[in-house]
Amino acid sequence: MTLRVQILKDKFNSYLGLPFKELLPESVIRQAISELKIKYKKRLFDPFVTLWAFLSQVLDTDKTCHNAVSKIIAHLAESKVEVPSTDTSGYCQARARLPEKLLEKLFNSSARNLEEKVTKEHLWCGRNVLVIDGSTVSMPDTIENQKEYPQPSSQKGGCGFPIAKIGVIFSLVTGGAVALCIDVLNTHDIKLARRLYSFLKPNDVLLGDRAFCAYADMVAITKLGCDVVFRKHQSRTTTMRKGKVVGDCDKLVTWYKPKRCPQGLSLDEFDALPSAIIVREIYYYIVIPGFRTQQVSLITTLLDTTTYPTLKIVGLYGKRWDIELDLRHLKTTLGMDVLRCKTPSMVRKEIYVYLLAYNLLRSLMWSAGTTYGNPPLRLSLQGTRHHLNNFIPKLLAATSTKRLQIYWTLLKVIAHKAVSDRPGRSEPRVRKRCPKAYPLMTKPRHELRNLLQTA
């Protein structure tokens, strides 16, 4: 058993340890296990092998447990050791034994390590910009999942899928995921955001849409030594007649404390809020054909018009769309939109592993872009995943010196796969391919089955 585990560790280190360098070698996992005081038995699927297999599973297009176990058997086939059974129960039990705290810690560690790669030349006006948004993921329709993450109340029982709400903070520079929180579907984005503010560092700038533009939250973020750029909430009327004009469509205005305590705040927190704050409001129009939004009003705590000119802030908010692309990469490119695990605990673990794999790909893109002079954010994440999966057999078969050469070739081909920048691009929102001519499911499956039998 020990020999088989060592062989697998060597195999995984060959292609995960080299491309991702310090982000996820065995030493980082061992340190996290030690800090969390996790004890485990010496078996084939120990935490190291299980985690690496889980990562390779979400990075592959075939995400079945059978495929993951098949890879492990293939790694051991050339060695003179007993190969494990093709039964997936051992691997599935090992995934269930992985502590959720371990995966969360490794994800947070990968986020910090990726952020440490950023230098001053990559910053916006000398500031690190983070982007926040919320999204949803669905999961198998099991009793446990429905109890923890209920389906929309508008759907009949048995006709929908459990859905979880996630809040994510991304780095605008690296594209990597910085922080994550998970809750039920009807949770408001701002409630998720308040659980993520602890991940902000002094001097950060938080960028978000109008769902996050609340008085109490702007006060809380500025107390952390950070600033915000949010789109103005629709409940606040826009007028250029009030406030101190500091530029074209740019003014300083005073916001007063709400008269009633908002939902989600305790009375003590509400009483501690200042009676008024000064914010900067920037108002502009979008005249690009096909764009749904035509008028935008931004609210920011960046009051210095010399250091942060109007056009700089407008251009920064234009990059907020990048978070939509990052979420699309997670949900569509990597396949996190529809999860596969059947219990809430495993669902959360699966989400953390997806985000960890996403950060590892982003780190590979960062290395390729900075090495060969291509902007990392312009590189293709799908292409990076394809190249990594295709280079894995060569990395496994190569010697240590040859492996380094293959690694540099991998970075080179990743840097060649750049996505063209098309600012102002607009496309009609239409479908070309017709869906299948089947009706929607409006009754539980057992009722529909009974109707077929009685027809």
Side-chain angles (χ1 to χ4, degrees), residues 353-367:
V353 173
Y354 266 108
L355 285 166
L356 178 57
Y358 172 79
N359 276 356
L360 297 179
L361 288 177
R362 282 293 183 186
S363 71
L364 200 55
M365 294 162 65
W366 184 267
S367 298

Side-chain angles (χ1 to χ4, degrees), residues 220-433:
I221 294 171
T222 52
K223 283 185 177 180
L224 296 173
C226 304
D227 286 293
V228 304
V229 178
F230 294 149
R231 187 178 173 189
K232 191 177 186 179
H233 196 273
Q234 64 270 18
S235 63
R236 288 185 177 268
T237 57
T238 298
T239 174
M240 294 304 292
R241 291 179 294 177
K242 296 181 180 180
K244 178 183 177 182
V245 176
V246 293
D248 294 337
C249 298
D250 193 345
K251 61 180 181 177
L252 299 179
V253 296
T254 302
W255 277 17
Y256 295 98
K257 178 180 176 179
K259 295 181 179 179
R260 291 184 297 178
C261 179
Q263 291 184 356
L265 286 183
S266 65
L267 286 177
D268 291 338
E269 291 172 332
F270 179 70
D271 293 337
L273 294 176
S275 58
I277 59 173
I278 296 177
V279 298
R280 185 175 168 193
E281 182 174 354
I282 300 172
Y283 187 78
Y284 63 98
Y285 293 90
I286 297 178
V287 292
I288 301 174
F291 270 51
R292 180 175 56 187
T293 302
Q294 296 181 340
Q295 301 177 1
V296 178
S297 183
L298 301 181
I299 300 297
T300 178
T301 55
L302 299 168
L303 306 183
D304 188 347
T305 57
T306 304
T307 308
Y308 312 105
T310 306
L311 291 180
K312 281 271 189 180
I313 295 178
V314 171
L316 177 64
Y317 188 77
K319 295 180 180 179
R320 196 206 66 83
W321 181 252
D322 288 353
I323 194 173
E324 306 292 344
L325 302 180
D326 294 335
L327 286 170
R328 188 183 69 178
H329 283 318
L330 269 171
K331 296 175 64 175
T332 305
T333 306
L334 295 185
M336 197 182 79
D337 190 19
V338 179
L339 303 172
R340 304 178 64 90
C341 293
K342 298 181 180 180
T343 62
S345 175
M346 283 303 302
V347 162
R348 291 189 292 270
K349 293 177 188 179
E350 189 176 3
I351 293 174
Y352 277 115
V353 173
Y354 266 108
L355 285 166
L356 178 57
Y358 172 79
N359 276 356
L360 297 179
L361 288 177
R362 282 293 183 186
S363 71
L364 200 55
M365 294 162 65
W366 184 267
S367 298
T370 53
T371 301
Y372 290 97
N374 233 345
L377 291 181
R378 295 258 57 88
L379 301 182
S380 169
L381 187 133
Q382 179 75 290
T384 300
R385 184 178 70 156
H386 288 163
H387 289 312
L388 176 64
N389 287 334
N390 292 334
F391 270 66
I392 282 174
K394 297 299 181 182
L395 288 168
L396 289 173
T399 60
S400 56
T401 54
K402 192 72 173 177
R403 193 176 299 135
L404 189 59
Q405 179 185 340
I406 296 175
Y407 168 64
W408 289 113
T409 305
L410 172 62
L411 293 184
K412 189 173 183 179
V413 295
I414 289 174
H416 278 302
K417 186 66 174 177
V419 180
S420 58
D421 187 16
R422 291 174 285 185
R425 178 191 179 204
S426 60
E427 293 288 343
R429 292 193 171 191
V430 293
R431 293 183 302 172
K432 183 177 180 180
R433 193 175 299 278

Side-chain angles (χ1 to χ4, degrees), residues 75-323:
H75 291 330
L76 294 172
E78 62 181 355
S79 306
K80 295 181 180 179
V81 294
E82 180 186 358
V83 297
S85 169
T86 57
D87 193 319
T88 61
S89 61
Y91 171 60
C92 293
Q93 292 173 27
R95 290 199 315 172
R97 287 193 299 268
L98 279 178
E100 186 178 329
K101 286 290 184 182
L102 173 62
L103 300 177
E104 182 181 358
K105 192 176 186 65
L106 291 173
F107 160 65
N108 291 333
S109 175
S110 72
R112 286 194 303 271
N113 290 336
L114 188 53
E115 287 292 286
E116 289 172 359
K117 296 177 179 290
V118 178
T119 58
K120 289 184 178 180
E121 63 187 46
H122 300 106
L123 301 179
W124 177 83
C125 295
R127 307 284 293 271
N128 185 38
V129 180
L130 302 176
V131 196
I132 188 170
D133 205 357
S135 189
T136 58
V137 291
S138 69
M139 60 198 75
D141 188 13
T142 64
I143 296 176
E144 295 92 339
N145 286 343
Q146 284 282 11
K147 186 177 180 180
E148 187 86 10
Y149 302 108
Q151 68 184 39
S153 57
S154 59
Q155 291 179 324
K156 292 183 179 180
C159 297
F161 293 93
I163 298 179
K165 186 76 170 285
I166 60 172
V168 192
I169 292 180
F170 289 93
S171 168
L172 189 66
V173 178
T174 65
V178 176
L180 165 77
C181 63
I182 309 169
D183 214 320
V184 296
L185 175 62
N186 60 358
T187 306
H188 195 278
D189 286 353
I190 206 165
K191 185 177 179 182
L192 295 175
R194 288 167 183 163
R195 293 163 53 184
L196 297 173
Y197 293 156
S198 59
F199 291 92
L200 298 177
K201 298 177 182 178
N203 211 41
D204 283 348
V205 176
L206 187 62
L207 186 63
D209 61 19
R210 55 190 175 191
F212 306 97
C213 188
Y215 185 94
D217 293 76
M218 296 178 72
V219 171
I221 294 171
T222 52
K223 283 185 177 180
L224 296 173
C226 304
D227 286 293
V228 304
V229 178
F230 294 149
R231 187 178 173 189
K232 191 177 186 179
H233 196 273
Q234 64 270 18
S235 63
R236 288 185 177 268
T237 57
T238 298
T239 174
M240 294 304 292
R241 291 179 294 177
K242 296 181 180 180
K244 178 183 177 182
V245 176
V246 293
D248 294 337
C249 298
D250 193 345
K251 61 180 181 177
L252 299 179
V253 296
T254 302
W255 277 17
Y256 295 98
K257 178 180 176 179
K259 295 181 179 179
R260 291 184 297 178
C261 179
Q263 291 184 356
L265 286 183
S266 65
L267 286 177
D268 291 338
E269 291 172 332
F270 179 70
D271 293 337
L273 294 176
S275 58
I277 59 173
I278 296 177
V279 298
R280 185 175 168 193
E281 182 174 354
I282 300 172
Y283 187 78
Y284 63 98
Y285 293 90
I286 297 178
V287 292
I288 301 174
F291 270 51
R292 180 175 56 187
T293 302
Q294 296 181 340
Q295 301 177 1
V296 178
S297 183
L298 301 181
I299 300 297
T300 178
T301 55
L302 299 168
L303 306 183
D304 188 347
T305 57
T306 304
T307 308
Y308 312 105
T310 306
L311 291 180
K312 281 271 189 180
I313 295 178
V314 171
L316 177 64
Y317 188 77
K319 295 180 180 179
R320 196 206 66 83
W321 181 252
D322 288 353
I323 194 173

